[in-house]
């Protein structure tokens, strides 16, 4: 049995590949993009999110904890993250939902059983998507989930930053129908400064997957002050134009969903104040990104896709 840590399983997802999908989010990521809207996936280990504004002061958590991780002084409640082993006992007793356990050890078989329960909804184009965090930090677990779904003839996709050695990526090739990969910034120094990691492996792995004729969807989270300049998106498009199997290039406008989570997770620094580009700016970027060979799409807006370098609106067809 192969185990891993799952953040959550999202059913009926329509943003993680073609059709209706079941998306399995694995915990842990080697990049720490400050605009991430899922910072609960940064760390590999299960952990507790604390929302003090919901606490009613019942102290059930302190009674449940065998590690003295909840301390009360008068009405003040202090949670000692360093003592916590994420057993989840206090979470079960907290009816106010002030405490939330993020991450659960699962077997690949139990995950796939949950995925297969959704199979009636996959026709004609849906299936499984393995996501993160960065799922390739748990590569053996991810491969086993994909292998078991492939054995059941379920369409398989993976959302990955591809910033792993080729020997980690290569075993996915026969197991994955569609790769959805992020290219955030082409300039490597800027990429390192923002994400803490180089983009060299991502670009190299994209070239290798392309050479093997694997269908690719490439995505860029667009954040004002980070990568919203036309020449930055144009540089990514120039790179994608050198590949033959990019079916779609998606611009994902920044979303502030992750803001409140940093404090709940006890992360060191609150993220800087980020903004999404306007709809007009995104439309201009989509036109800038148009190249022969792939469709450009702005996610989450009514902005039409732009096709094949003509700059003309195109019907968005799932890869
Ligand atoms: S169990 Fe929940 S509501 Fe009760 S004191 Fe602990 S955190 Fe607050
Ligand atoms: S998860 Fe377990 S160890 Fe952590 S605070 Fe709650 S009861 Fe204590």
């Amino acid at each position: 049995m192969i185990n891993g840590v799952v953040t959550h399983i999202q059913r009926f997802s329509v943003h993680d590949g073609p059709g209706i999908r079941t998306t399995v989010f694995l915990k842990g990521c080697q990049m720490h993009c400050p605009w991430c809207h899922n910072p609960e996936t940064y760390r590999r280990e299960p952990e507790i999110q604390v929302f003090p504004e919901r606490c009613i002061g019942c102290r059930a958590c302190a009674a449940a904890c065998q590690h003295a991780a909840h301390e009360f002084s008068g009405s003040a409640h202090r949670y000692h993250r360093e003592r916590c082993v994420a057993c989840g006992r206090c979470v079960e007793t907290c009816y106010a939902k002030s405490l939330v356990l993020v991450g659960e050890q699962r077997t690949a078989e139990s995950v796939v059983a949950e995925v297969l329960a959704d199979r009636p909804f996959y026709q004609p184009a849906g299936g499984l998507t393995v996501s993160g965090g960065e799922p390739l930090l748990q590569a053996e677990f991810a491969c086993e989930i994909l292998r078991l779904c492939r054995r059941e003839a379920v369409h398989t996709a993976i959302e990955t930053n591809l910033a792993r050695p080729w020997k980690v990526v290569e075993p996915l090739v026969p197991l994955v129908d569609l790769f959805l990969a992020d290219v955030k910034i082409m300039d490597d120094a800027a990429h390192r400064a923002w994400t803490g990691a180089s983009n060299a492996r991502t670009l190299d792995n994209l070239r290798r997957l392309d050479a093997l004729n694997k269908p690719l969807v490439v995505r860029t989270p667009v954040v004002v002050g980070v990568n919203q300049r036309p020449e930055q998106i144009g540089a990514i498009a120039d790179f994608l134009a050198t590949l033959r199997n990019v079916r779609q290039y998606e611009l994902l406008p920044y979303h502030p969903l992750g803001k409140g989570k940093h404090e709940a997770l006890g992360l060191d620094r609150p993220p800087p104040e980020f903004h999404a580009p306007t709809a007009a700016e995104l439309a201009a970027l989509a036109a800038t990104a148009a190249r022969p060979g792939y469709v450009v799409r702005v996610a989450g807006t009514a902005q039409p896709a732009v096709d094949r370098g003509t700059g003309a609106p195109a019907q968005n067809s799932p890869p």
Side-chain angles (χ1 to χ4, degrees):
M1 288 234 182
I2 298 176
N3 293 289
V5 181
V6 174
T7 310
H8 71 283
I9 297 178
Q10 170 90 46
R11 304 178 68 197
F12 305 113
S13 173
V14 292
H15 301 296
D16 303 317
I20 294 174
R21 311 194 68 82
T22 305
T23 304
V24 178
F25 292 89
L26 306 190
K27 201 161 175 344
C29 187
Q30 77 279 54
M31 292 187 188
H32 279 191
C33 308
W35 55 82
C36 179
H37 62 259
N38 289 322
E40 69 273 26
T41 64
Y42 281 173
R43 300 183 183 119
R44 162 75 190 268
E45 302 76 25
E47 60 190 315
I48 303 291
Q49 275 184 297
V50 182
F51 299 94
E53 67 280 5
R54 301 180 194 163
C55 178
I56 56 172
C58 70
R59 303 192 180 198
C61 51
C65 183
Q66 297 175 347
H67 299 270
H70 294 279
E71 190 177 289
F72 287 84
S73 167
S75 61
H77 173 195
R78 185 162 174 219
Y79 165 64
H80 295 272
R81 192 170 292 276
E82 73 285 358
R83 297 177 191 167
C84 176
V85 297
C87 68
R89 283 199 186 92
C90 62
V91 175
E92 285 166 19
T93 66
C94 180
Y95 295 109
K97 305 260 184 264
S98 177
L99 308 171
V100 176
L101 178 64
V102 186
E104 188 187 5
Q105 280 282 354
R106 298 281 299 263
T107 65
E109 284 81 1
S110 77
V111 169
V112 171
E114 213 169 315
V115 172
L116 293 179
D118 290 343
R119 186 149 56 174
F121 304 100
Y122 295 157
Q123 296 306 327
L128 161 80
T129 300
V130 177
S131 184
E134 173 42 54
L136 295 185
L137 289 190
Q138 301 187 62
E140 195 186 5
F141 184 49
C143 279
E144 184 65 0
I145 293 169
L146 290 159
R147 190 183 68 76
L148 293 172
C149 283
R150 173 52 74 91
R151 199 173 67 183
E152 297 291 331
V154 170
H155 181 275
T156 56
I158 188 165
E159 289 181 326
T160 167
N161 60 36
L162 284 178
R164 301 283 286 146
W166 176 244
K167 67 177 184 206
V168 175
V169 178
E170 191 174 21
L172 295 169
V173 170
L175 303 176
V176 173
D177 295 309
L178 175 67
F179 284 81
L180 301 116
D182 269 18
V183 176
K184 302 170 204 299
I185 308 169
M186 282 304 285
D187 179 82
D188 195 34
H191 194 281
R192 285 173 190 267
W194 280 111
T195 72
S198 167
N199 64 14
R201 275 185 174 151
T202 300
L203 303 182
D204 183 53
N205 287 327
L206 276 168
R207 287 188 200 99
R208 287 174 184 258
L209 291 170
D210 184 61
L212 294 170
N213 286 324
K214 295 305 292 188
L216 305 168
V217 170
V218 176
R219 313 204 285 194
T220 300
V222 187
V223 187
V224 172
V226 176
N227 61 355
Q228 92 295 355
R229 295 200 311 275
E231 63 271 24
Q232 290 174 298
I233 297 299
I236 295 172
D238 287 341
F239 168 71
L240 300 184
T242 68
L243 308 177
R244 291 172 302 148
N245 293 287
V246 178
R247 306 288 173 84
Q248 190 160 289
Y249 178 40
E250 295 183 357
L251 301 176
L252 312 177
Y254 165 74
H255 197 293
L257 262 177
K259 273 181 77 177
K261 297 179 183 174
H262 277 72
E263 205 175 324
L265 291 161
L267 294 169
D268 291 344
R269 291 178 294 143
E273 198 64 31
F274 289 117
H275 300 283
T278 64
E281 287 166 336
L282 285 163
L285 290 175
T288 298
R291 298 285 185 281
Y294 59 78
V295 170
V296 182
R297 184 174 166 270
V298 178
T301 72
Q303 172 65 32
V306 177
D307 200 2
R308 302 182 186 284
T310 64
Q315 193 64 38
N316 177 28
S317 52

